[in-house]
Amino acid sequence: MIAVRRNLTGQKFLRSIISLLIFGLLSSLFLVSYDIEFGLIDDLLVLIIGFFAFICIPGENLARLLLGKKKQMGVGLIVGILLNLIFIQILFFLSMLLQIQVVLRYWIVLCNVLFLAILLGVNGDTRILVYTAEGFKSVVKSSPNLIIILFIAIGIRLALAPIGLTSFAPDAGLYFDYARNINEGLFQSNIMNDGAVASRGVNVDEIAHHSTSYLYAISYMFMSGTQSNPIFFLVLFSILSMMGVYSFARNYFGDRTAEISVLLIAVHPTLVYFSVVGYGPELFSFTFLIFAVLLLSDGNKESNSKYILAGVLVAFVENIWFVNFYIVVFVLPLALIFSQRTITKEQIYLMFALVGALIARQVLANIFLFILIWMIIFMAFYVSRRGRLIDTTQTFPILIGYFLFSMFLYLPAQLSSIINNSPVAGIGLNGFTESIFTLPTFYYIAGGLFFLFWHLTPVLFGLLIIGLWMLRDNHRYQTFSLIALAISVGTGIILVSIEPMKIEYLYTTARFLISIIMIACILVGNILATGYEKYCSNISLTRSRRSFGIKQILGIASIGIILVGSLAPGYLALNANADFVNPEKRYAWQGLLEWVDANTVEGDRFLLDRAREFAWITNREGIYLNLHYSRDLEWEATYELLRMVNDYNADFLILDSYTVAHWNNFEFLQKASMTNENTLPLNAREAALLVGENSSEHLQSIDLLYQTQANSYGDYVRIFSVVEEAYSVSWRNISFSEDWDVSSGIELDGTRSEIHFLKSANSAIERNILSPFNITTSGGFVLFSFSEVNAEVTRISLINTQGVVIQQAERIEGSIFYAQLGCHLIGNIRIEMQGDIQGTISLEEMAIWQ
């Protein structure tokens, strides 16, 4: 007996060693594939081996250990992804505390090998590859139709993937950039002066929703080397979300409802769009949420591990995208209602506990208040349990899982808040209360309803089809057909009439509707399946029943309306929407990126308004151009530029049409006539000290280096370098001469060497034009100095020879006025003044510095 037991133990140990050797071989092949240069072949090796070895194998085996054989389809993949997110967060802790740098792929290999070794030791079951294969079999055996639908979904997304290769939203640019650095072992963002980026230590940054970047980092690791590689995880999560929806719908509504629901999701234009174009983390958070719902609603109350795992998923939902936590508060208790078919005190407690957790998240910056709220939540649980008021066998594991992992994810932020006495990035309690008690306007509500309607059109058309299908009265049938047609035509009219160039706005914020659309697809799938079973499954196949009549024609017409009036416009709008978030097209960056790559080096820093997208594409450090105040004065705006240049050691400044639209203070710098090597000072206050000076002076300036070719809209980009430039006087006039002339009604007092203007008695405001002037400038600035006696200079305009105002001087301090200069031919100068009727002003100096 002892010999047999030893023999079994030896065999198990041998199988464990073999399993680890196989996994080590896969890991080695994964790492070696990075150095293989066979183009597409090595990329596919990295992707296939990495996904199988580090997500499928660990995830399927841990899910089997925690949940047993009857786990839901796709749960193993979600668990595998969660494991790797945890490994990356541990690396973040070590980087922050110990200042270590480990390349992500080596860290992931090490962590997964150690994890499988521990799993073999704890579980003692060596059938690692067998359990992984069973996970794949569960998907294949679930439904042949599901496999077909998933292949259709993958095909559509791969076919449309090219539109997302270079298109991504600003938020995604931040996540992508951080993810790329994580792959090199650096938890550091290339984006500075951004409120979403917080310093947690020396060379360690943390960004808001950092778990989103962790997901993209894994995607980047599997598809290294291309700008579009993070899109792989978008496609993966769109498929995982379909698996979750299918499992949920099948559990409660049957196979046919599940298949129809997933088919709607597979072809829905909005969901397809956000599966191939990088935006925010909403698709990720919904996928985690649907699997949390699956874990809570499978009816098995005996396993605490599934409730803890659900709490962990909820923690990641909140960390990936905080806004979706509002949905969690309502959906999770509903999941328990689904599982128990009744409303219980426990579900009510869970809802209130989640509301408390939501409020605690709002005050994350205040760790003492944060802990106090959680103490109240757990105290309520303790009192309820001791008094046997509520059965908390389900809710307590959920809250424990959520609390522990939310603290695990937010602990660096909390520690940094305590050590540095700095707030943690978040919405804050004030913003939370304002959003609750502030009533939206009618136009906001109307716009929101239209927005929701447009993205639910395939679903609404499905409901209309059911109305057409289930009603037997021909008159009502035709009425519903006309309604469907009217809605289709109306949608088309809206698309072409509401500013055709603004069609892309229909998708920019539609990511917030992903959860609503998914849920609506489940409901419509149920209605369609019910209608089919009730009215079509028992139809006799006699010749008379198969006759082709008016109802069949209207049914086909209705399906055509859906395709032409809903799906087709949605797909036609995809490319326009992708262009809207394509930086080169949106910001007129054509040629800019190539210039940056050819003329700058890694480590150079760029100050610009769209720093997130720029940093991701170029792998350069971007400084977010963010003025403290939206001032109207150009010289104050350039002074803030100087502040940011010095605070962040900027080397270059990029100005495009989007920057000017955001900060109109920089319109002159972006639109004024300039040539390469035109130089403009940043510190107007320092320039004002040069009144009366004759020597050459050095000022911190920007030098125009490059201007892109204008696009079809006439927009272009300018890039400046930050330099120390020497300026000297190129023209100065402080004496009166006969070459100057003034408008009628103005008396001149020529007794002094300066030019004097004496206001006439018949006007309180006079415009005085000095001409002819005709001075050519090529950059630099002009200074005016006045002596004002009972009168005030209100405006000075520089006018070209065609009478067009090319620039206006701004008062800096006292009676000193300053204006930047481009490549101009100044023909006239208009001076506007006001004051007492006999007031006098004296132009003491006007000098051009170049």
Side-chain angles (χ1 to χ4, degrees), residues 428-445:
L429 189 58
N430 291 336
F432 175 64
T433 54
E434 287 178 5
S435 64
I436 293 177
F437 296 107
T438 301
L439 295 176
T441 64
F442 169 78
Y443 295 103
Y444 182 85
I445 295 174

Side-chain angles (χ1 to χ4, degrees), residues 166-199:
T166 56
S167 299
F168 52 92
D171 288 352
L174 174 62
Y175 305 138
F176 291 174
D177 174 72
Y178 193 60
R180 176 176 49 202
N181 288 340
I182 291 174
N183 268 269
E184 300 302 320
L186 291 172
F187 287 87
Q188 189 172 6
S189 172
N190 284 335
I191 304 164
M192 292 164 280
N193 197 35
D194 192 318
V197 180
S199 175

Side-chain angles (χ1 to χ4, degrees), residues 17-50:
I17 295 298
I18 293 174
S19 298
L20 286 176
L21 286 175
I22 293 174
F23 188 80
L25 179 63
L26 289 174
S27 300
S28 300
L29 187 58
F30 171 77
L31 295 175
V32 170
S33 298
Y34 271 86
D35 299 321
I36 299 176
E37 295 184 1
F38 290 119
L40 183 62
I41 295 177
D42 62 302
D43 290 338
L44 288 176
L45 279 175
V46 170
L47 173 60
I48 295 172
I49 295 172

Side-chain angles (χ1 to χ4, degrees), residues 687-716:
L689 300 177
L690 301 180
V691 172
E693 296 288 336
N694 293 315
S695 60
S696 176
E697 295 291 339
H698 286 78
L699 301 176
Q700 199 163 6
S701 307
I702 51 175
D703 184 12
L704 179 62
L705 296 181
Y706 179 71
Q707 177 175 309
T708 64
Q709 294 294 322
N711 62 11
S712 58
Y713 300 106
D715 296 329
Y716 53 84

Side-chain angles (χ1 to χ4, degrees), residues 761-780:
N762 58 4
S763 177
I765 299 177
E766 287 291 342
R767 290 173 172 79
N768 306 279
I769 300 181
L770 313 179
S771 63
F773 199 58
N774 295 338
I775 290 182
T776 301
T777 64
S778 58

